[in-house]
Amino acid sequence: MAAQTIGFAEGERRNGGRFDLFRSLRSRNYRLFFIGQTVSLTGTFLTHAATMWLVYHLTGSELLLGTVAFAGQ
């Protein structure tokens, strides 16, 4: 019996030739993790943007804006 190799193009195609990119989301635990990380990242981004806006709004200084942005990284 010959060894059968399954490459990316052969082994990953499902549903009429489309790639099944979100196969990992079938797992309930991973789906909960992914949703939680998405919410967390969104909150982090909004907090960072609001902080930058507040610094510039209160001071009007690009130097302080850059300093706070650098410190936030």
Side-chain angles (χ1 to χ4, degrees):
M1 209 184 269
Q4 187 178 20
T5 59
I6 298 176
F8 182 76
E10 297 171 17
E12 296 295 324
R13 288 187 183 264
R14 305 281 190 272
N15 304 328
R18 295 182 315 186
F19 287 105
D20 194 8
L21 296 176
F22 300 106
R23 180 174 45 204
S24 59
L25 292 176
R26 292 180 191 157
S27 168
R28 180 180 181 272
N29 286 339
Y30 184 75
R31 204 169 40 244
L32 290 173
F33 170 76
F34 187 80
I35 291 168
Q37 289 297 310
T38 302
V39 170
S40 176
L41 184 62
T42 303
T44 301
F45 172 75
L46 290 175
T47 301
H48 188 70
T51 303
M52 297 301 105
W53 175 83
L54 184 62
V55 167
Y56 189 72
H57 181 72
L58 292 177
T59 65
S61 168
E62 290 96 4
L63 179 64
L64 283 177
L65 176 65
T67 303
V68 171
F70 178 75
Q73 298 299 317

